[in-house]
Amino acid sequence: ETGVTQSPTHLIKTRGQQVTLRCSSQSGHNTVSWYQQALGQGPQFIFQYYREEENGRGNFPPRFSGLQFPNYSSELNVNALELDDSALYLCASSLDEGGVRTYEQYFGPGTRLTVT
Amino acid sequence: QKEVEQNSGPLSVPEGAIASLNCTYSDRGSQSFFWYRQYSGKSPELIMSIYSNGDKEDGRFTAQLNKASQYVSLLIRDSQPSDSATYLCAVNITSAEAGTALIFGKGTTLSVSS
């Protein structure tokens, strides 16, 4: 158990719709990263938040956006869903130890999104 | 484009044998390296992290790092059927765009036969 939870577990949406995925991590895990994992591929970095500010972004369009809240929860929003957005969406958190960021990331169970 | 390369496999070994998984990376500035295990339908689970050249052992797992060759490996001794999974190599990169991010390989599928 990593202490990272995600909701919902599964989701089916129609092309063009919008979706919000949620993640909750443990106290002290001030860094949260979101990844997209297509079938047969490794996770691809979407973006990262540290202390409620975005501090890094991968090669994803602006319709992928996020927020991080003071209570160690975060969300990933995807607008104008496309068929290729069908994937497993993972969030991962990292611990601050005495104010020093660590780089080990612990994943939640993921949300399986299907776009039809 | 920063990349992490792994042989996709499948790598098949008999029970009790040593499984050797390899990974190369392109970013010479990377300082942190990780191995994750992912069972089918599940999320990645961190099993090893390594930051310095050389070997790091944890139970049946040994991670090896050679920064000069930009090469990371994972050895699994006394392989068990429960080790059958996809093993993901991940490298931490730092850039103005990505901040600090993990870049993953596509994973190597390991099959341990009893």
mmCIF file of all heavy atoms in Angstrom, chain B residues 61-100:
data_model
loop_
_atom_site.group_PDB
_atom_site.id
_atom_site.type_symbol
_atom_site.label_atom_id
_atom_site.label_comp_id
_atom_site.label_asym_id
_atom_site.label_seq_id
_atom_site.Cartn_x
_atom_site.Cartn_y
_atom_site.Cartn_z
ATOM 1 N N PHE B 61 16.859 -8.908 -5.190
ATOM 2 C CA PHE B 61 17.037 -7.918 -6.256
ATOM 3 C C PHE B 61 18.384 -7.206 -6.119
ATOM 4 O O PHE B 61 18.787 -6.833 -5.022
ATOM 5 C CB PHE B 61 15.918 -6.870 -6.214
ATOM 6 C CG PHE B 61 14.540 -7.425 -6.431
ATOM 7 C CD1 PHE B 61 13.681 -7.626 -5.363
ATOM 8 C CD2 PHE B 61 14.106 -7.749 -7.698
ATOM 9 C CE1 PHE B 61 12.402 -8.129 -5.562
ATOM 10 C CE2 PHE B 61 12.827 -8.252 -7.909
ATOM 11 C CZ PHE B 61 11.979 -8.445 -6.836
ATOM 12 N N THR B 62 19.073 -7.034 -7.256
ATOM 13 C CA THR B 62 20.276 -6.219 -7.306
ATOM 14 C C THR B 62 20.161 -5.249 -8.475
ATOM 15 O O THR B 62 19.937 -5.671 -9.602
ATOM 16 C CB THR B 62 21.548 -7.083 -7.490
ATOM 17 O OG1 THR B 62 21.676 -7.967 -6.379
ATOM 18 C CG2 THR B 62 22.794 -6.197 -7.582
ATOM 19 N N ALA B 63 20.290 -3.966 -8.175
ATOM 20 C CA ALA B 63 20.330 -2.965 -9.232
ATOM 21 C C ALA B 63 21.784 -2.593 -9.483
ATOM 22 O O ALA B 63 22.583 -2.505 -8.548
ATOM 23 C CB ALA B 63 19.525 -1.734 -8.845
ATOM 24 N N GLN B 64 22.125 -2.389 -10.744
ATOM 25 C CA GLN B 64 23.484 -2.003 -11.124
ATOM 26 C C GLN B 64 23.408 -0.738 -11.968
ATOM 27 O O GLN B 64 22.565 -0.629 -12.851
ATOM 28 C CB GLN B 64 24.144 -3.136 -11.925
ATOM 29 C CG GLN B 64 24.262 -4.441 -11.151
ATOM 30 C CD GLN B 64 24.783 -5.582 -12.011
ATOM 31 O OE1 GLN B 64 24.365 -5.742 -13.151
ATOM 32 N NE2 GLN B 64 25.670 -6.381 -11.453
ATOM 33 N N LEU B 65 24.312 0.201 -11.693
ATOM 34 C CA LEU B 65 24.315 1.476 -12.407
ATOM 35 C C LEU B 65 25.708 1.774 -12.921
ATOM 36 O O LEU B 65 26.698 1.660 -12.179
ATOM 37 C CB LEU B 65 23.856 2.608 -11.487
ATOM 38 C CG LEU B 65 23.939 4.034 -12.015
ATOM 39 C CD1 LEU B 65 23.078 4.208 -13.271
ATOM 40 C CD2 LEU B 65 23.554 5.037 -10.936
ATOM 41 N N ASN B 66 25.793 2.164 -14.177
ATOM 42 C CA ASN B 66 27.040 2.604 -14.793
ATOM 43 C C ASN B 66 26.732 3.891 -15.537
ATOM 44 O O ASN B 66 26.225 3.876 -16.661
ATOM 45 C CB ASN B 66 27.586 1.530 -15.748
ATOM 46 C CG ASN B 66 28.926 1.913 -16.338
ATOM 47 O OD1 ASN B 66 29.198 3.097 -16.594
ATOM 48 N ND2 ASN B 66 29.780 0.940 -16.563
ATOM 49 N N LYS B 67 27.010 5.025 -14.899
ATOM 50 C CA LYS B 67 26.663 6.318 -15.495
ATOM 51 C C LYS B 67 27.501 6.613 -16.730
ATOM 52 O O LYS B 67 27.033 7.259 -17.659
ATOM 53 C CB LYS B 67 26.811 7.436 -14.466
ATOM 54 C CG LYS B 67 25.778 7.390 -13.354
ATOM 55 C CD LYS B 67 25.935 8.569 -12.400
ATOM 56 C CE LYS B 67 24.916 8.495 -11.285
ATOM 57 N NZ LYS B 67 25.070 9.623 -10.321
ATOM 58 N N ALA B 68 28.735 6.157 -16.761
ATOM 59 C CA ALA B 68 29.591 6.416 -17.925
ATOM 60 C C ALA B 68 29.012 5.753 -19.172
ATOM 61 O O ALA B 68 29.037 6.315 -20.268
ATOM 62 C CB ALA B 68 31.008 5.921 -17.666
ATOM 63 N N SER B 69 28.462 4.572 -18.988
ATOM 64 C CA SER B 69 27.853 3.851 -20.111
ATOM 65 C C SER B 69 26.365 4.135 -20.242
ATOM 66 O O SER B 69 25.720 3.627 -21.172
ATOM 67 C CB SER B 69 28.066 2.340 -19.943
ATOM 68 O OG SER B 69 29.437 2.031 -19.895
ATOM 69 N N GLN B 70 25.816 4.910 -19.311
ATOM 70 C CA GLN B 70 24.384 5.251 -19.306
ATOM 71 C C GLN B 70 23.540 3.993 -19.328
ATOM 72 O O GLN B 70 22.651 3.816 -20.183
ATOM 73 C CB GLN B 70 24.074 6.198 -20.482
ATOM 74 C CG GLN B 70 24.789 7.521 -20.331
ATOM 75 C CD GLN B 70 24.642 8.434 -21.540
ATOM 76 O OE1 GLN B 70 25.606 8.789 -22.185
ATOM 77 N NE2 GLN B 70 23.421 8.800 -21.833
ATOM 78 N N TYR B 71 23.817 3.143 -18.356
ATOM 79 C CA TYR B 71 23.262 1.798 -18.340
ATOM 80 C C TYR B 71 22.832 1.446 -16.921
ATOM 81 O O TYR B 71 23.555 1.691 -15.955
ATOM 82 C CB TYR B 71 24.365 0.844 -18.824
ATOM 83 C CG TYR B 71 24.047 -0.612 -18.815
ATOM 84 C CD1 TYR B 71 23.450 -1.215 -19.915
ATOM 85 C CD2 TYR B 71 24.385 -1.414 -17.726
ATOM 86 C CE1 TYR B 71 23.192 -2.576 -19.924
ATOM 87 C CE2 TYR B 71 24.119 -2.771 -17.729
ATOM 88 C CZ TYR B 71 23.526 -3.353 -18.838
ATOM 89 O OH TYR B 71 23.276 -4.688 -18.854
ATOM 90 N N VAL B 72 21.627 0.896 -16.821
ATOM 91 C CA VAL B 72 21.094 0.432 -15.540
ATOM 92 C C VAL B 72 20.588 -0.990 -15.744
ATOM 93 O O VAL B 72 20.002 -1.285 -16.803
ATOM 94 C CB VAL B 72 19.904 1.305 -15.069
ATOM 95 C CG1 VAL B 72 19.571 1.025 -13.612
ATOM 96 C CG2 VAL B 72 20.180 2.773 -15.277
ATOM 97 N N SER B 73 20.800 -1.838 -14.768
ATOM 98 C CA SER B 73 20.274 -3.194 -14.893
ATOM 99 C C SER B 73 19.647 -3.639 -13.580
ATOM 100 O O SER B 73 19.898 -3.056 -12.523
ATOM 101 C CB SER B 73 21.367 -4.171 -15.327
ATOM 102 O OG SER B 73 22.332 -4.296 -14.307
ATOM 103 N N LEU B 74 18.830 -4.666 -13.688
ATOM 104 C CA LEU B 74 18.197 -5.280 -12.518
ATOM 105 C C LEU B 74 18.380 -6.780 -12.630
ATOM 106 O O LEU B 74 18.033 -7.376 -13.652
ATOM 107 C CB LEU B 74 16.703 -4.936 -12.463
ATOM 108 C CG LEU B 74 15.933 -5.549 -11.290
ATOM 109 C CD1 LEU B 74 16.333 -4.882 -9.972
ATOM 110 C CD2 LEU B 74 14.420 -5.416 -11.507
ATOM 111 N N LEU B 75 18.965 -7.360 -11.578
ATOM 112 C CA LEU B 75 19.096 -8.806 -11.503
ATOM 113 C C LEU B 75 18.107 -9.333 -10.473
ATOM 114 O O LEU B 75 18.003 -8.771 -9.371
ATOM 115 C CB LEU B 75 20.515 -9.206 -11.098
ATOM 116 C CG LEU B 75 21.650 -8.768 -12.024
ATOM 117 C CD1 LEU B 75 22.989 -9.195 -11.446
ATOM 118 C CD2 LEU B 75 21.463 -9.348 -13.414
ATOM 119 N N ILE B 76 17.417 -10.394 -10.839
ATOM 120 C CA ILE B 76 16.508 -11.053 -9.892
ATOM 121 C C ILE B 76 17.037 -12.470 -9.703
ATOM 122 O O ILE B 76 17.042 -13.281 -10.646
ATOM 123 C CB ILE B 76 15.062 -11.094 -10.418
ATOM 124 C CG1 ILE B 76 14.581 -9.686 -10.781
ATOM 125 C CG2 ILE B 76 14.141 -11.716 -9.371
ATOM 126 C CD1 ILE B 76 13.192 -9.659 -11.436
ATOM 127 N N ARG B 77 17.516 -12.733 -8.486
ATOM 128 C CA ARG B 77 18.050 -14.064 -8.192
ATOM 129 C C ARG B 77 16.923 -14.982 -7.735
ATOM 130 O O ARG B 77 15.895 -14.516 -7.219
ATOM 131 C CB ARG B 77 19.116 -13.985 -7.100
ATOM 132 C CG ARG B 77 20.397 -13.305 -7.535
ATOM 133 C CD ARG B 77 21.419 -13.309 -6.390
ATOM 134 N NE ARG B 77 20.878 -12.592 -5.227
ATOM 135 C CZ ARG B 77 20.854 -11.282 -5.119
ATOM 136 N NH1 ARG B 77 21.311 -10.526 -6.104
ATOM 137 N NH2 ARG B 77 20.366 -10.709 -4.031
ATOM 138 N N ASP B 78 17.125 -16.306 -7.948
ATOM 139 C CA ASP B 78 16.135 -17.299 -7.508
ATOM 140 C C ASP B 78 14.735 -16.886 -7.967
ATOM 141 O O ASP B 78 13.796 -16.753 -7.154
ATOM 142 C CB ASP B 78 16.182 -17.446 -5.980
ATOM 143 C CG ASP B 78 15.325 -18.596 -5.464
ATOM 144 O OD1 ASP B 78 15.064 -19.528 -6.238
ATOM 145 O OD2 ASP B 78 14.899 -18.533 -4.290
ATOM 146 N N SER B 79 14.599 -16.662 -9.248
ATOM 147 C CA SER B 79 13.326 -16.167 -9.793
ATOM 148 C C SER B 79 12.177 -17.106 -9.427
ATOM 149 O O SER B 79 12.315 -18.338 -9.457
ATOM 150 C CB SER B 79 13.419 -16.059 -11.315
ATOM 151 O OG SER B 79 14.357 -15.089 -11.689
ATOM 152 N N GLN B 80 11.036 -16.488 -9.110
ATOM 153 C CA GLN B 80 9.840 -17.222 -8.741
ATOM 154 C C GLN B 80 8.716 -16.899 -9.729
ATOM 155 O O GLN B 80 8.698 -15.819 -10.317
ATOM 156 C CB GLN B 80 9.398 -16.817 -7.330
ATOM 157 C CG GLN B 80 10.438 -17.064 -6.255
ATOM 158 C CD GLN B 80 10.739 -18.545 -6.105
ATOM 159 O OE1 GLN B 80 9.823 -19.362 -5.961
ATOM 160 N NE2 GLN B 80 12.021 -18.894 -6.148
ATOM 161 N N PRO B 81 7.760 -17.810 -9.898
ATOM 162 C CA PRO B 81 6.622 -17.501 -10.783
ATOM 163 C C PRO B 81 5.932 -16.196 -10.422
ATOM 164 O O PRO B 81 5.430 -15.489 -11.305
ATOM 165 C CB PRO B 81 5.703 -18.714 -10.586
ATOM 166 C CG PRO B 81 6.634 -19.841 -10.274
ATOM 167 C CD PRO B 81 7.724 -19.214 -9.422
ATOM 168 N N SER B 82 5.950 -15.832 -9.133
ATOM 169 C CA SER B 82 5.322 -14.577 -8.711
ATOM 170 C C SER B 82 6.091 -13.347 -9.198
ATOM 171 O O SER B 82 5.591 -12.218 -9.087
ATOM 172 C CB SER B 82 5.201 -14.531 -7.193
ATOM 173 O OG SER B 82 6.473 -14.643 -6.585
ATOM 174 N N ASP B 83 7.310 -13.552 -9.720
ATOM 175 C CA ASP B 83 8.071 -12.433 -10.295
ATOM 176 C C ASP B 83 7.623 -12.116 -11.718
ATOM 177 O O ASP B 83 8.066 -11.124 -12.308
ATOM 178 C CB ASP B 83 9.572 -12.751 -10.313
ATOM 179 C CG ASP B 83 10.163 -12.887 -8.918
ATOM 180 O OD1 ASP B 83 9.715 -12.167 -8.004
ATOM 181 O OD2 ASP B 83 11.084 -13.719 -8.747
ATOM 182 N N SER B 84 6.779 -12.957 -12.292
ATOM 183 C CA SER B 84 6.297 -12.735 -13.655
ATOM 184 C C SER B 84 5.485 -11.438 -13.696
ATOM 185 O O SER B 84 4.445 -11.317 -13.034
ATOM 186 C CB SER B 84 5.429 -13.911 -14.118
ATOM 187 O OG SER B 84 6.183 -15.108 -14.143
ATOM 188 N N ALA B 85 5.982 -10.485 -14.454
ATOM 189 C CA ALA B 85 5.396 -9.142 -14.492
ATOM 190 C C ALA B 85 6.144 -8.341 -15.553
ATOM 191 O O ALA B 85 7.093 -8.839 -16.171
ATOM 192 C CB ALA B 85 5.519 -8.449 -13.137
ATOM 193 N N THR B 86 5.731 -7.114 -15.745
ATOM 194 C CA THR B 86 6.479 -6.183 -16.588
ATOM 195 C C THR B 86 7.334 -5.296 -15.690
ATOM 196 O O THR B 86 6.841 -4.759 -14.687
ATOM 197 C CB THR B 86 5.527 -5.316 -17.435
ATOM 198 O OG1 THR B 86 4.818 -6.150 -18.340
ATOM 199 C CG2 THR B 86 6.312 -4.280 -18.243
ATOM 200 N N TYR B 87 8.605 -5.168 -16.028
ATOM 201 C CA TYR B 87 9.541 -4.373 -15.235
ATOM 202 C C TYR B 87 9.863 -3.095 -15.998
ATOM 203 O O TYR B 87 10.330 -3.128 -17.134
ATOM 204 C CB TYR B 87 10.797 -5.179 -14.921
ATOM 205 C CG TYR B 87 10.486 -6.278 -13.915
ATOM 206 C CD1 TYR B 87 9.897 -7.463 -14.332
ATOM 207 C CD2 TYR B 87 10.712 -6.090 -12.557
ATOM 208 C CE1 TYR B 87 9.557 -8.456 -13.419
ATOM 209 C CE2 TYR B 87 10.382 -7.067 -11.633
ATOM 210 C CZ TYR B 87 9.790 -8.244 -12.078
ATOM 211 O OH TYR B 87 9.446 -9.220 -11.169
ATOM 212 N N LEU B 88 9.593 -1.983 -15.354
ATOM 213 C CA LEU B 88 9.766 -0.663 -15.956
ATOM 214 C C LEU B 88 11.001 0.011 -15.382
ATOM 215 O O LEU B 88 11.149 0.113 -14.165
ATOM 216 C CB LEU B 88 8.546 0.212 -15.671
ATOM 217 C CG LEU B 88 7.209 -0.258 -16.248
ATOM 218 C CD1 LEU B 88 6.047 0.425 -15.541
ATOM 219 C CD2 LEU B 88 7.153 0.031 -17.739
ATOM 220 N N CYS B 89 11.869 0.456 -16.255
ATOM 221 C CA CYS B 89 13.028 1.267 -15.867
ATOM 222 C C CYS B 89 12.612 2.734 -15.951
ATOM 223 O O CYS B 89 11.978 3.148 -16.926
ATOM 224 C CB CYS B 89 14.179 0.970 -16.820
ATOM 225 S SG CYS B 89 15.632 2.007 -16.612
ATOM 226 N N ALA B 90 12.943 3.516 -14.941
ATOM 227 C CA ALA B 90 12.583 4.933 -14.928
ATOM 228 C C ALA B 90 13.793 5.764 -14.546
ATOM 229 O O ALA B 90 14.579 5.394 -13.668
ATOM 230 C CB ALA B 90 11.439 5.193 -13.957
ATOM 231 N N VAL B 91 13.951 6.882 -15.219
ATOM 232 C CA VAL B 91 15.084 7.770 -15.002
ATOM 233 C C VAL B 91 14.547 9.154 -14.675
ATOM 234 O O VAL B 91 13.637 9.655 -15.362
ATOM 235 C CB VAL B 91 15.958 7.827 -16.277
ATOM 236 C CG1 VAL B 91 17.077 8.827 -16.113
ATOM 237 C CG2 VAL B 91 16.510 6.438 -16.596
ATOM 238 N N ASN B 92 15.091 9.766 -13.637
ATOM 239 C CA ASN B 92 14.665 11.102 -13.259
ATOM 240 C C ASN B 92 15.415 12.138 -14.091
ATOM 241 O O ASN B 92 16.641 12.087 -14.162
ATOM 242 C CB ASN B 92 14.953 11.319 -11.767
ATOM 243 C CG ASN B 92 14.329 12.587 -11.249
ATOM 244 O OD1 ASN B 92 14.904 13.656 -11.386
ATOM 245 N ND2 ASN B 92 13.160 12.468 -10.694
ATOM 246 N N ILE B 93 14.681 13.026 -14.734
ATOM 247 C CA ILE B 93 15.310 14.102 -15.498
ATOM 248 C C ILE B 93 14.904 15.438 -14.916
ATOM 249 O O ILE B 93 13.858 15.551 -14.274
ATOM 250 C CB ILE B 93 14.922 14.050 -16.989
ATOM 251 C CG1 ILE B 93 13.422 14.312 -17.161
ATOM 252 C CG2 ILE B 93 15.337 12.733 -17.616
ATOM 253 C CD1 ILE B 93 13.068 14.862 -18.514
ATOM 254 N N THR B 94 15.727 16.430 -15.139
ATOM 255 C CA THR B 94 15.416 17.790 -14.714
ATOM 256 C C THR B 94 15.582 18.709 -15.922
ATOM 257 O O THR B 94 16.620 18.694 -16.575
ATOM 258 C CB THR B 94 16.351 18.243 -13.583
ATOM 259 O OG1 THR B 94 16.202 17.353 -12.478
ATOM 260 C CG2 THR B 94 15.990 19.647 -13.124
ATOM 261 N N SER B 95 14.518 19.456 -16.228
ATOM 262 C CA SER B 95 14.588 20.402 -17.339
ATOM 263 C C SER B 95 13.694 21.588 -17.033
ATOM 264 O O SER B 95 12.839 21.529 -16.141
ATOM 265 C CB SER B 95 14.147 19.734 -18.646
ATOM 266 O OG SER B 95 12.754 19.483 -18.630
ATOM 267 N N ALA B 96 13.878 22.650 -17.799
ATOM 268 C CA ALA B 96 13.058 23.848 -17.593
ATOM 269 C C ALA B 96 11.597 23.548 -17.878
ATOM 270 O O ALA B 96 10.698 24.049 -17.199
ATOM 271 C CB ALA B 96 13.553 24.966 -18.507
ATOM 272 N N GLU B 97 11.345 22.684 -18.864
ATOM 273 C CA GLU B 97 9.959 22.395 -19.244
ATOM 274 C C GLU B 97 9.320 21.399 -18.292
ATOM 275 O O GLU B 97 8.196 21.587 -17.835
ATOM 276 C CB GLU B 97 9.906 21.821 -20.661
ATOM 277 C CG GLU B 97 10.448 22.730 -21.746
ATOM 278 C CD GLU B 97 11.964 22.693 -21.804
ATOM 279 O OE1 GLU B 97 12.564 21.681 -21.358
ATOM 280 O OE2 GLU B 97 12.565 23.682 -22.268
ATOM 281 N N ALA B 98 10.040 20.326 -18.008
ATOM 282 C CA ALA B 98 9.437 19.207 -17.273
ATOM 283 C C ALA B 98 9.632 19.312 -15.769
ATOM 284 O O ALA B 98 9.046 18.521 -15.023
ATOM 285 C CB ALA B 98 10.007 17.884 -17.771
ATOM 286 N N GLY B 99 10.432 20.264 -15.312
ATOM 287 C CA GLY B 99 10.750 20.277 -13.893
ATOM 288 C C GLY B 99 11.570 19.035 -13.588
ATOM 289 O O GLY B 99 12.555 18.761 -14.259
ATOM 290 N N THR B 100 11.159 18.273 -12.587
ATOM 291 C CA THR B 100 11.792 16.979 -12.339
ATOM 292 C C THR B 100 10.746 15.918 -12.631
ATOM 293 O O THR B 100 9.694 15.886 -11.997
ATOM 294 C CB THR B 100 12.281 16.844 -10.893
ATOM 295 O OG1 THR B 100 11.181 17.073 -10.014
ATOM 296 C CG2 THR B 100 13.391 17.817 -10.598
#
